[in-house]
Amino acid sequence: MPTDPPLPHPQATRYGPGFATHGTRHKKPKNGLVIAGFLVGLVALGVAFVPIAGVAAWPLAVTGLVLSVIGLTKIKKGEADKKGMGIAGLALSIAGLLAASGLLVYTNFFATGRSGLHIPAAAGDKNTVEFVVSASGGATVRFGSLNDQRSETTPASTDEWRGTASFNSGDYLLTVTADTRNASVSNQISCTIRVNGQKVAENKGQTIALCTASTG
């Protein structure tokens, strides 16, 4: 009695992690949080060392830290990828926080002096300015910067008159003007400006002398 031929077995289908029922690999979604955390952390670290703008490092670093942590959590759950970038973003954000904290501690406890040009010189400032005037018949002296000046009167003497100022950073137009108190008297006047001991301006005149120099 004839028998039917055996039916062919269906082709085996691969199953398991990473394979769909039709043999297609599952792709994990892109991890936008990790990418954002990396970029924000990078900016935070760079901004931390910029004067004045460094205060922005705090919110940027915290934002980068939060984004990186959330992104790494999604990776741990198997919902996203880019683990290496997530760890890098976390490290950059932490480094930004540490740099901003270090700059704050340095500014408050170790940095010397205040901002601006100080007349007379303030102890602890990084840069010193010396205004020197010689007027044998005496003179009225105005010295300082273009926007902030002091006035003094020098006695009739061959001794040099000296005024001081100081600053930490910045660009200031330094100026010193010396003119005689008695226009009828011929008075040889000279002026000099020194910054950190180096002569940056010098001038002479019969009744008036003017010296200017920029710190920039």
Side-chain angles (χ1 to χ4, degrees):
M1 181 177 184
T3 57
D4 294 332
L7 294 175
H9 292 286
Q11 186 177 358
T13 306
R14 298 182 67 183
Y15 294 94
F19 293 96
T21 53
H22 298 289
T24 343
R25 179 182 293 272
H26 282 302
K27 288 187 177 180
K28 293 181 180 179
K30 298 287 185 180
N31 199 337
L33 292 173
V34 157
I35 298 173
F38 176 83
L39 295 176
V40 174
L42 184 63
V43 173
L45 183 59
V47 169
F49 298 98
V50 179
I52 301 176
V55 294
W58 288 92
L60 286 172
V62 171
T63 302
L65 189 65
V66 172
L67 290 173
S68 298
V69 169
I70 296 175
L72 287 171
T73 303
K74 290 171 67 69
I75 293 172
K76 189 175 181 180
K77 292 179 179 179
E79 299 174 357
D81 56 2
K82 298 189 180 298
K83 182 177 181 180
M85 183 173 285
I87 294 174
L90 186 65
L92 286 171
S93 300
I94 293 174
L97 281 175
L98 292 176
S101 302
L103 188 62
L104 180 64
V105 171
Y106 174 80
T107 302
N108 289 338
F109 297 100
F110 298 102
T112 56
R114 301 158 295 165
S115 60
L117 182 71
H118 310 135
I119 310 172
D125 279 0
K126 297 177 182 178
N127 303 288
T128 59
V129 181
E130 189 176 33
F131 305 93
V132 183
V133 171
S134 174
S136 58
T140 299
V141 180
R142 289 179 293 276
F143 66 101
S145 67
L146 191 62
N147 300 321
D148 185 10
Q149 296 189 351
R150 305 288 187 274
S151 296
E152 289 193 19
T153 301
T154 66
S157 172
T158 55
D159 295 336
E160 291 181 335
W161 172 91
R162 296 174 184 272
T164 62
S166 63
F167 64 97
N168 283 308
S169 61
D171 187 4
Y172 307 98
L173 182 60
L174 305 173
T175 176
V176 55
T177 305
D179 61 83
T180 183
R181 289 173 292 164
N182 188 349
S184 62
V185 176
S186 178
N187 185 8
Q188 185 69 30
I189 301 176
S190 66
C191 64
T192 304
I193 300 177
R194 294 190 178 96
V195 177
N196 296 327
Q198 296 186 354
K199 186 184 296 183
V200 294
E202 185 177 30
N203 199 6
K204 292 182 180 180
Q206 288 295 323
T207 58
I208 188 171
L210 170 64
C211 291
T212 60
S214 175
T215 62

